[in-house]
Amino acid sequence: MASEATATARAHSNIALAKYWGKRDARLNLPAVGSISITLDGLYTQTQVSFRDGLKADRLTLNDRSLHDARPRSNRSVDDRHMTDRQQAQLERVSAFL
């Protein structure tokens, strides 16, 4: 019986203009310095991982281009979070930074 599990995450670029530097009052949970940042809507990275039957090997693509050389590193990342005895994974990454 074939099975598939897929998860997708998107992260936008966030630039800190004034950085958080600890607490001025821990009891009241007040920051020592206010934190101000902006999120850039047009710059993001989206990653989708699919575990599926029928794949002969793990696959990694970046902006629709196959990345054979990066597979060992991506495999370690996936294997750290799952059993090494698993279905093959397809990782698809889209980056607006490129």
Side-chain angles (χ1 to χ4, degrees):
M1 181 173 172
S3 64
E4 181 174 330
T6 300
T8 303
R10 179 180 277 207
H12 292 270
S13 178
N14 184 276
I15 299 171
L17 303 173
K19 189 143 172 117
Y20 172 81
W21 286 100
K23 304 236 183 258
R24 91 177 146 194
D25 187 329
R27 186 179 59 81
L28 295 176
N29 199 26
L30 297 174
V33 176
S35 180
I36 299 172
S37 67
I38 59 172
T39 299
L40 304 175
D41 189 45
L43 294 178
Y44 63 88
T45 298
Q46 180 170 302
T47 302
Q48 181 178 60
V49 60
S50 300
F51 292 95
R52 56 174 81 146
D53 294 331
L55 290 176
K56 294 186 183 350
D58 289 338
R59 296 183 194 167
L60 176 62
T61 59
L62 174 61
N63 291 348
D64 295 323
R65 204 172 104 210
S66 181
L67 297 175
H68 296 290
D69 295 340
R71 273 198 322 229
R73 183 173 170 213
S74 68
N75 290 4
R76 280 193 308 272
S77 176
V78 170
D79 289 342
D80 285 349
R81 288 159 183 78
H82 298 279
M83 299 180 308
T84 54
D85 183 24
R86 61 167 171 77
Q87 292 173 298
Q88 299 302 308
Q90 179 166 331
L91 285 94
E92 298 176 54
R93 183 163 291 151
V94 175
S95 178
F97 290 92
L98 300 176

